Amino acid sequence: MSQDKIIAVMGATGAQGGGLVRAILNDKQGGFTARAITRNVNSDKAKALAKMGAEVVQADVNDEESIRKAFEGAYGAYCVTFYWEHFSPEKELAHAKNMAQAAKQAGVKHVIWSTLEDMRKWVPLSDNRMPTLMGKYKVPHFDAKGEANKFFTDLGLPVTLLNTSFYWDNMIYFGMGPKKGPDGKLAITFPMGDKKLPAMAAEDIGKCAYGIFKRGQEFIGKTVGISGEFLTGAQMAAQLSEVLGQEIEYNAVSPEVYRSFGFPGAEDLGNMFQVKRDFEKEYCAERDLNLSRSLNPELLTFHKWAEKYEDRIPLE
Ligand SMILES: NC(=O)c1ccc[n+]([C@@H]2O[C@H](COP(=O)([O-])OP(=O)(O)OC[C@H]3O[C@@H](n4cnc5c(N)ncnc54)[C@H](OP(=O)(O)O)[C@@H]3O)[C@@H](O)[C@H]2O)c1
């Protein structure tokens, strides 16, 4: 029987978990093996992971007992929540709690919790520069993840709190790519003014997480912030123009305008960008580019990411 240590991966058919599963499976001599957790073991994505060599098991983050079973016998567990499936910070808190308790019961030796900062530490609810959302959040999909850190730490789990970064892939899958304005010119739109946005290739999150599992003990009980590069909107637009071979501008709207765009989550994201803009120094300081590269030597820069995914970036 293989002596490889099992890493149980939540969201294995998704961006973060998928990156981790592939990183584990691509490193045959690494001493680890991947257990991919999915709600549907018969989906095409789940079958593709099985074909690559992952053990694929069924569980649902709503069901703690199913997660406990999926974590049983694993050395490591990668825990991530799925905010954009339900837009509910309360569900995100409940899901994080389920995973933390399941990891405790299963006796997992190293847990990575994919989290983000509770932005209320920078902008308390009393701060009127941005609206309070859902009664008690400034940036619901950040605040709830940060608040959920306590479920992992209070249980005394051997946990690494992993502060991730904005995915450049949002330009492909989240409607944030170049769009034509009223003047007919293509532009990317962010309410960041001239401030830098820490971001990365989604795939690199899993690769960095694998680096953390490999180095193990060094990161247990630690908070680690990862990113690929810090760039302004103007810098991203200039690099996109170069790679795509056509002029892309940067449309620096105000956070108020961004919040009013009306798509689901627009207010949450408008507030998020505003905190990243107003606390650029503090927010960047929590992400370490050198450490990210040492965890994942293949870490992509924005330029390399754009070259790699050039054909997938939709141009309206
Ligand atoms: N977009 C960004 O820039 C960004 C940046 C940092 C952090 N995040 C955070 O990343 C998280 C999402 O991670 P991701 O991007 O890797 O997700 P993703 O690509 O959307 O994939 C999520 C996967 O989760 C699984 N899933 C969904 N509901 C589930 C449930 N009830 N039980 C078990 N599995 C479930 C699904 O797998 P099956 O269908 O196979 O079950 C799906 O493939 C969000 O919380 C978001 O806030 C996003």
Side-chain angles (χ1 to χ4, degrees), residues 13-16 38-39 60-61 81-83 145 164-165 167 170:
T13 58
Q16 295 190 27
T38 173
R39 289 166 300 176
D60 190 309
V61 76
T81 42
F82 317 108
Y83 186 82
K145 288 184 182 67
T164 63
S165 283
Y167 311 165
N170 292 333

Side-chain angles (χ1 to χ4, degrees), residues 9-19 37-41 43 45-46 49 58-63 66-67 78 80-86 92 95 99 113-116 141-142 145 163-170 174 176 199-200 202 205 269 272 276 283 287:
V9 183
M10 294 297 300
T13 58
Q16 295 190 27
I37 302 171
T38 173
R39 289 166 300 176
N40 178 8
V41 296
S43 73
K45 285 182 176 175
L49 293 176
Q58 195 277 337
D60 190 309
V61 76
N62 290 293
D63 174 1
S66 74
I67 306 290
Y78 187 76
V80 55
T81 42
F82 317 108
Y83 186 82
W84 303 108
E85 298 249 329
H86 46 67
E92 193 154 48
H95 293 162
M99 289 186 286
W113 161 229
S114 173
T115 187
L116 288 164
H141 78 287
F142 268 63
K145 288 184 182 67
N163 280 323
T164 63
S165 283
F166 181 86
Y167 311 165
W168 290 314
D169 308 66
N170 292 333
F174 216 86
M176 295 190 188
M200 67 196 299
I205 296 178
L269 292 172
M272 173 195 81
K276 291 179 184 180
Y283 188 74
R287 281 150 183 80

Side-chain angles (χ1 to χ4, degrees), residues 14 87 107 202 250 284 290 314:
F87 295 81
Y250 169 46
C284 288
N290 291 329

